[in-house]
């Protein structure tokens, strides 16, 4: 069974500290590896992780596919924005490297196909994080092995919404011949079911499973003591 085949019909758990919280106590490769192991024990069929250190620690701790990425820089394109960073993630042990698959300019001036070629040469697969159907189609043409709805709501081409973009899942499933991973603001079993009904190959959940800081913020915002605080 191939790496992507093993994800079919399952839940992939994203184990990442909050990017806007440099002092998040969860920001530690050992901690993230333990979180990932717990997620796998609970039934996760794959793990998504950020940075070579976390990828390496998680790869050593679990027996399921690891989707690695490298958030870097402050440009619009910051999810594994260059071939060099993508190769570092593959070298750390990622079975699949997630990269920005949008049509926005990359900080190094190169194109998605350059990153795809570098990752394939390193022996890993490529997951293109996109925000529109057109971007997904273009990413597959560039050689991506799978696409994900991760960036819906985070680009000028896609509307911001509170919940997941199920329309994009359905649109991609109808338009591309590769697996479509539903990712972005999935928080409930109902949303998971709706994603699979829309054609998702797998569903990725992150903060709603793995971030005590994010979960507690949302819950405490509903209390008298926490009223008015941001519940992200």
């Amino acid at each position: 069974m191939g790496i992507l085949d093993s994800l079919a019909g399952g839940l992939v758990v994203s184990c990442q500290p909050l990017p806007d919280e440099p002092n998040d106590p969860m920001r530690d490769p050992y901690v993230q590896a333990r979180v990932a192991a717990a997620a796998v024990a609970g039934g996760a069929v794959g793990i998504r992780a950020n940075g070579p250190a976390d990828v390496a620690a998680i790869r050593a701790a679990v027996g399921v596919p690891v989707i690695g990425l490298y958030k870097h820089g402050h440009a619009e394109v910051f999810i594994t924005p260059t071939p060099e960073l993508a190769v570092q993630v593959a070298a750390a042990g990622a079975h699949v490297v997630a990269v920005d698959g949008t049509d926005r300019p990359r900080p190094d001036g190169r194109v998605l196909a350059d990153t795809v070629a570098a990752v394939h040469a390193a022996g890993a697969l490529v997951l293109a994080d996109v925000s529109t159907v057109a971007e997904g189609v273009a990413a597959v043409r560039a050689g991506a092995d799978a696409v994900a709805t991760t960036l819906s709501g985070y680009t000028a081409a896609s509307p911001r919404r509170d919940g997941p973009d199920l329309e994009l899942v359905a649109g991609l499933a109808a338009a591309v011949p590769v697996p479509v991973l539903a990712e972005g603001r999935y928080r409930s079993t109902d949303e998971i079911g709706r994603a699979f009904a829309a054609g998702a190959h797998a569903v990725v959940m992150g903060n709603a499973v793995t971030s005590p800081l994010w979960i507690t913020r949302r819950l405490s915002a509903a209390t008298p003591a926490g009223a008015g605080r941001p519940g992200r």
Side-chain angles (χ1 to χ4, degrees), residues 13-215:
V13 172
S14 183
C15 297
Q16 300 180 49
L18 292 181
D20 56 346
E21 293 288 352
N23 297 318
D24 185 346
M26 303 287 285
R27 192 174 298 281
D28 179 274
Y30 173 80
V31 171
Q32 291 303 316
R34 294 298 91 202
V35 172
V40 172
V45 299
I47 298 294
R48 179 169 166 131
N50 174 38
D54 283 12
V55 167
I58 290 171
R59 173 67 190 268
V62 302
V64 299
V66 176
I67 301 172
L69 60 141
Y70 201 145
K71 292 180 178 176
H72 187 272
H74 300 285
E76 282 189 328
V77 174
F78 67 93
I79 296 179
T80 326
T82 68
E84 291 78 13
L85 295 175
V87 169
Q88 288 184 43
V89 174
H95 301 87
V96 181
V97 179
V99 306
D100 186 301
T102 69
D103 57 10
R104 298 174 296 180
R106 297 171 186 278
D108 62 359
R110 285 178 283 186
V111 296
L112 176 60
D114 295 329
T115 298
V116 172
V119 172
H120 285 167
L125 301 176
V126 173
L127 171 66
D129 291 340
V130 303
S131 68
T132 68
V133 171
E135 290 170 351
V137 170
V140 173
R141 288 176 180 162
D145 303 287
V147 297
T149 60
T150 315
L151 291 172
S152 172
Y154 299 99
T155 69
S158 59
R160 179 68 179 177
R161 61 185 74 205
D162 291 331
D165 191 343
L166 294 162
E167 293 85 357
L168 181 56
V169 174
L172 286 169
V176 299
V178 301
V180 175
L181 275 63
E183 180 174 6
R185 301 175 297 278
Y186 284 88
R187 299 164 186 156
S188 70
T189 54
D190 175 67
E191 290 169 343
I192 291 173
R194 293 169 65 194
F196 282 115
H201 182 78
V203 175
V204 183
M205 290 185 73
N207 291 336
V209 177
T210 61
S211 176
L213 176 55
W214 184 89
I215 295 167

